[in-house]
Amino acid sequence: MAENATRVTEFILVGFQLQTSLRVSFFFVFLAFYLITVGGNLGMIMLIQSDRRLQTPMYFFLSHLSFLDICYSSVIVPQLLVTFGTAKTVITYGRCATQFFFFTLYASTECFLLAVMAYDRYVAVCNPLLYAVAMTPQKRVGLVMAAYGGAMVNTVIRTGCTFSISFCKSNQVDFFFCDLPPLLKLVCSETRRKEQVIFLFAFLVITTSILIILTSYLFIIRAILKIRTAGGKAKTFSTCASHMTAVALFFGTLIFMYLKSNMGKSLWEDKIVSVFYTVIIPMLNPMIYSLRNKEVKEALNKVAQRMRVSRAE
């Protein structure tokens, strides 16, 4: 442990201190999760690129969501696998800052991208005749670049503020990756202003994204209620169901953590919830969009038929 007057140059992740047998079991469980995440999301990207019926704005955004889920999970899980597999918990200051930077970048971008996808559904449902004009290839790219750009601004500011703070109380991070709350427990100087900036930008990213999503779906719901036939309502609603599920899982977890922070939660609850949104949700997203989407199901069946024919030949 670092002395109080000594600047921390490396951190020790002590989030999961387990017996050897449990570490081995957890290693294979999380390895399976990671392989499913990478395979599922990479498969979704390849499927969208290979099927002409999926060359639409909605699936263009979905391919970027799959890319983000791969990156998002890859920032966290490999470090976790090293910890479980070798019991090595030391991470250098530079690697910790890098992990924090990319974790913040991909999480922020996913927030903005889910908002962009909600706006896409709003245009498709509420202004179908203008959809082709509103979602040209140039505008799709522009919206995605705006999501990355906004996330980059947030990430640079939050990372700069966080790692300009002096960590000298200890070098033991009671978490399984370099996240903000456990790092702030190690500070040894006045950080109120920097913490205010850090949380302000996090608040802006989350609330801006949620407001866009809620506003889009309020208009979508109003448009659906105007449809006279039950079949028409169901068909229109089904085009949004997968996205709504993904939004509920991702933002629901973040909001749960935020609300619980004021209600005396345990650090162990933090770890479990963090595992859910850093490991489980990126794995579930391809399944959500596959199981609840007619076009994706048809594309998957088409690929399966091609494989059967090629094997038969």
Side-chain angles (χ1 to χ4, degrees):
M1 182 182 297
E3 296 297 327
N4 287 344
T6 304
R7 184 180 178 86
V8 170
T9 58
E10 63 182 20
F11 295 97
I12 301 174
L13 302 175
V14 295
F16 288 122
Q17 293 182 317
L18 304 170
Q19 297 177 352
T20 303
S21 58
L22 284 176
R23 283 196 294 102
V24 172
S25 299
F26 273 55
F27 173 84
F28 285 107
V29 169
F30 280 90
L31 177 61
F33 286 163
Y34 183 60
L35 292 176
I36 293 170
T37 299
V38 174
N41 284 288
L42 189 60
M44 181 66 72
I45 294 172
M46 294 173 66
L47 186 68
I48 291 170
Q49 294 298 320
S50 64
D51 196 302
R52 291 183 179 179
R53 292 174 298 179
L54 303 183
Q55 302 298 309
T56 63
M58 181 176 73
Y59 294 107
F60 173 78
F61 297 130
L62 178 56
S63 65
H64 281 276
L65 181 66
S66 293
F67 170 74
L68 283 173
D69 281 336
I70 292 173
C71 297
Y72 187 52
S73 183
S74 296
V75 171
I76 306 300
V77 180
Q79 175 66 48
L80 198 53
L81 292 176
V82 170
T83 301
F84 287 141
T86 66
K88 182 180 179 181
T89 58
V90 176
I91 181 171
T92 64
Y93 186 93
R95 284 184 61 197
C96 183
T98 301
Q99 185 182 59
F100 182 90
F101 177 90
F102 284 106
F103 170 74
T104 305
L105 175 63
Y106 297 132
S108 303
T109 307
E110 186 148 340
C111 287
F112 287 134
L113 186 62
L114 288 170
V116 168
M117 294 174 75
Y119 172 73
D120 169 71
R121 291 298 83 208
Y122 154 73
V123 176
V125 173
C126 299
N127 298 288
L129 298 178
L130 299 176
Y131 186 59
V133 177
M135 286 296 170
T136 62
Q138 293 79 10
K139 289 184 179 180
R140 299 178 213 169
V141 173
L143 286 170
V144 171
M145 290 300 101
Y148 280 101
M152 180 61 74
V153 172
N154 172 62
T155 301
V156 169
I157 292 173
R158 295 189 77 217
T159 305
C161 288
T162 301
F163 287 88
S164 62
I165 295 172
S166 296
F167 302 104
C168 57
K169 284 186 177 179
S170 170
N171 66 342
Q172 293 191 359
V173 180
D174 194 6
F175 219 60
F176 60 95
F177 68 97
C178 290
D179 200 8
L180 182 65
L183 285 173
L184 290 180
K185 293 181 180 180
L186 309 181
V187 301
C188 57
S189 59
E190 175 58 41
T191 61
R192 183 175 300 175
R193 290 185 179 180
K194 290 182 179 179
E195 287 186 36
Q196 288 175 344
V197 172
I198 291 168
F199 286 110
L200 173 63
F201 275 83
F203 176 78
L204 288 174
V205 169
I206 294 174
T207 54
T208 301
S209 301
I210 290 177
L211 282 174
I212 293 172
I213 292 168
L214 288 178
T215 303
S216 298
Y217 275 106
L218 283 175
F219 282 107
I220 289 170
I221 291 169
R222 189 177 71 172
I224 291 174
L225 292 176
K226 291 180 180 179
I227 300 174
R228 296 182 179 181
T229 63
K233 290 181 178 179
K235 183 178 179 181
T236 304
F237 181 79
S238 67
T239 64
C240 307
S242 298
H243 179 257
M244 290 174 64
T245 304
V247 166
L249 285 172
F250 187 75
F251 284 102
T253 306
L254 294 180
I255 292 171
F256 172 81
M257 289 189 67
Y258 175 76
L259 292 177
K260 291 284 284 183
S261 65
N262 298 322
M263 298 167 59
K265 63 178 177 180
S266 68
L267 192 57
W268 185 253
E269 287 179 338
D270 270 354
K271 296 171 187 176
I272 298 300
V273 175
S274 294
V275 166
F276 186 77
Y277 76 80
T278 59
V279 180
I280 305 300
I281 290 178
M283 179 182 67
L284 291 179
N285 278 342
M287 300 178 191
I288 292 169
Y289 281 95
S290 298
L291 296 175
R292 305 196 64 173
N293 193 295
K294 182 179 178 181
E295 288 89 351
V296 174
K297 285 182 181 179
E298 290 176 351
L300 285 171
N301 289 331
K302 188 175 179 181
V303 171
Q305 289 175 359
R306 288 176 181 174
M307 292 177 65
R308 293 193 201 101
V309 171
S310 62
R311 287 179 181 177
E313 293 177 351

Coordinates of all heavy atoms in Angstrom, one line a residue, residues 13-17 23 27 77-90 176:
L13 N -6.3 -4.0 -8.0 CA -7.8 -4.2 -8.1 C -8.2 -5.4 -7.1 O -7.7 -6.5 -7.3 CB -8.1 -4.6 -9.5 CG -7.8 -3.5 -10.6 CD1 -8.1 -4.1 -12.0 CD2 -8.5 -2.2 -10.4
V14 N -8.9 -5.0 -6.1 CA -9.3 -6.0 -5.1 C -10.8 -6.3 -5.1 O -11.4 -6.6 -4.1 CB -8.8 -5.6 -3.7 CG1 -7.3 -5.6 -3.7 CG2 -9.3 -4.3 -3.3
G15 N -11.4 -6.0 -6.3 CA -12.9 -6.2 -6.3 C -13.4 -7.6 -6.1 O -14.4 -7.8 -5.5
F16 N -12.6 -8.6 -6.7 CA -13.1 -10.0 -6.5 C -11.9 -10.8 -6.0 O -11.1 -11.3 -6.7 CB -13.5 -10.5 -7.9 CG -14.8 -10.0 -8.4 CD1 -14.8 -9.4 -9.7 CD2 -15.9 -10.1 -7.7 CE1 -16.0 -8.9 -10.1 CE2 -17.1 -9.6 -8.2 CZ -17.2 -9.0 -9.4
Q17 N -11.9 -10.9 -4.7 CA -10.9 -11.7 -4.0 C -11.5 -13.1 -3.7 O -12.3 -13.2 -2.7 CB -10.4 -11.0 -2.7 CG -9.6 -9.8 -3.0 CD -9.1 -9.1 -1.7 OE1 -9.8 -9.0 -0.7 NE2 -7.9 -8.7 -1.7
R23 N -12.0 -18.8 -8.6 CA -11.4 -18.0 -9.6 C -11.4 -18.8 -11.0 O -11.7 -18.2 -12.0 CB -10.0 -17.6 -9.2 CG -9.9 -16.5 -8.2 CD -8.6 -15.8 -8.1 NE -7.5 -16.7 -7.6 CZ -6.6 -17.4 -8.3 NH1 -6.6 -17.2 -9.7 NH2 -5.7 -18.1 -7.8
F27 N -13.4 -17.7 -14.2 CA -12.6 -17.4 -15.5 C -13.3 -18.0 -16.7 O -13.5 -17.3 -17.7 CB -11.2 -18.0 -15.3 CG -10.4 -18.0 -16.6 CD1 -9.7 -16.8 -16.9 CD2 -10.4 -19.0 -17.5 CE1 -9.0 -16.8 -18.1 CE2 -9.7 -19.0 -18.7 CZ -9.0 -17.9 -19.0
V77 N -13.5 -7.0 -19.8 CA -13.5 -8.4 -19.6 C -12.0 -9.0 -19.6 O -11.7 -9.8 -18.8 CB -14.4 -9.2 -20.5 CG1 -14.3 -10.7 -20.3 CG2 -15.8 -8.7 -20.4
P78 N -11.2 -8.6 -20.6 CA -9.8 -9.2 -20.6 C -9.1 -8.9 -19.3 O -8.4 -9.8 -18.8 CB -9.2 -8.5 -21.8 CG -10.3 -8.2 -22.7 CD -11.4 -7.8 -21.8
Q79 N -9.2 -7.7 -18.7 CA -8.6 -7.5 -17.5 C -9.1 -8.4 -16.4 O -8.4 -8.9 -15.5 CB -8.8 -6.0 -17.1 CG -8.3 -5.6 -15.7 CD -6.8 -5.7 -15.6 OE1 -6.1 -5.2 -16.5 NE2 -6.3 -6.3 -14.5
L80 N -10.4 -8.6 -16.4 CA -11.1 -9.5 -15.5 C -10.6 -10.9 -15.6 O -10.4 -11.6 -14.6 CB -12.6 -9.4 -15.7 CG -13.5 -9.9 -14.5 CD1 -13.2 -9.2 -13.2 CD2 -15.0 -9.6 -14.9
L81 N -10.4 -11.4 -16.8 CA -10.0 -12.7 -17.1 C -8.5 -12.9 -16.6 O -8.2 -14.0 -16.0 CB -10.0 -13.0 -18.6 CG -11.4 -13.1 -19.2 CD1 -11.3 -13.4 -20.7 CD2 -12.2 -14.3 -18.5
V82 N -7.7 -11.9 -16.8 CA -6.3 -11.9 -16.2 C -6.3 -12.1 -14.7 O -5.6 -12.9 -14.1 CB -5.5 -10.7 -16.7 CG1 -4.2 -10.6 -15.9 CG2 -5.3 -10.7 -18.2
T83 N -7.2 -11.3 -14.1 CA -7.3 -11.4 -12.6 C -7.8 -12.8 -12.2 O -7.2 -13.3 -11.2 CB -8.4 -10.3 -12.1 OG1 -7.9 -9.0 -12.5 CG2 -8.5 -10.4 -10.6
F84 N -8.8 -13.3 -12.8 CA -9.3 -14.6 -12.4 C -8.3 -15.7 -12.8 O -8.1 -16.7 -12.1 CB -10.6 -15.0 -13.2 CG -11.8 -14.2 -12.6 CD1 -12.7 -13.7 -13.5 CD2 -11.9 -14.0 -11.3 CE1 -13.8 -13.0 -13.0 CE2 -13.0 -13.3 -10.8 CZ -14.0 -12.8 -11.6
G85 N -7.6 -15.6 -13.9 CA -6.7 -16.6 -14.4 C -5.4 -16.7 -13.8 O -4.8 -17.8 -13.6
T86 N -4.8 -15.5 -13.4 CA -3.5 -15.5 -12.8 C -3.4 -14.9 -11.4 O -2.3 -14.9 -10.8 CB -2.6 -14.7 -13.8 OG1 -3.0 -13.3 -13.7 CG2 -2.6 -15.2 -15.2
A87 N -4.5 -14.4 -10.9 CA -4.6 -13.7 -9.6 C -3.7 -12.5 -9.6 O -3.4 -11.9 -8.6 CB -4.1 -14.7 -8.5
K88 N -3.4 -12.0 -10.8 CA -2.6 -10.7 -11.0 C -3.6 -9.6 -10.9 O -4.4 -9.4 -11.8 CB -1.8 -10.7 -12.3 CG -1.0 -9.5 -12.4 CD -0.2 -9.5 -13.8 CE 0.6 -8.2 -13.9 NZ 1.4 -8.2 -15.2
T89 N -3.5 -8.8 -9.9 CA -4.4 -7.7 -9.8 C -3.8 -6.3 -9.9 O -4.5 -5.3 -9.7 CB -5.1 -7.8 -8.4 OG1 -4.1 -7.7 -7.4 CG2 -5.9 -9.1 -8.2
V90 N -2.5 -6.2 -10.2 CA -1.8 -4.9 -10.3 C -2.1 -4.4 -11.7 O -1.9 -5.1 -12.7 CB -0.3 -5.1 -10.0 CG1 0.4 -3.8 -10.2 CG2 -0.1 -5.6 -8.6
F176 N -13.4 -4.1 -9.8 CA -12.8 -5.0 -10.7 C -12.3 -4.3 -12.0 O -11.7 -5.0 -12.9 CB -13.7 -6.2 -11.1 CG -15.0 -5.8 -11.8 CD1 -15.1 -5.8 -13.2 CD2 -16.1 -5.5 -11.0 CE1 -16.3 -5.4 -13.8 CE2 -17.3 -5.1 -11.6 CZ -17.4 -5.1 -13.0

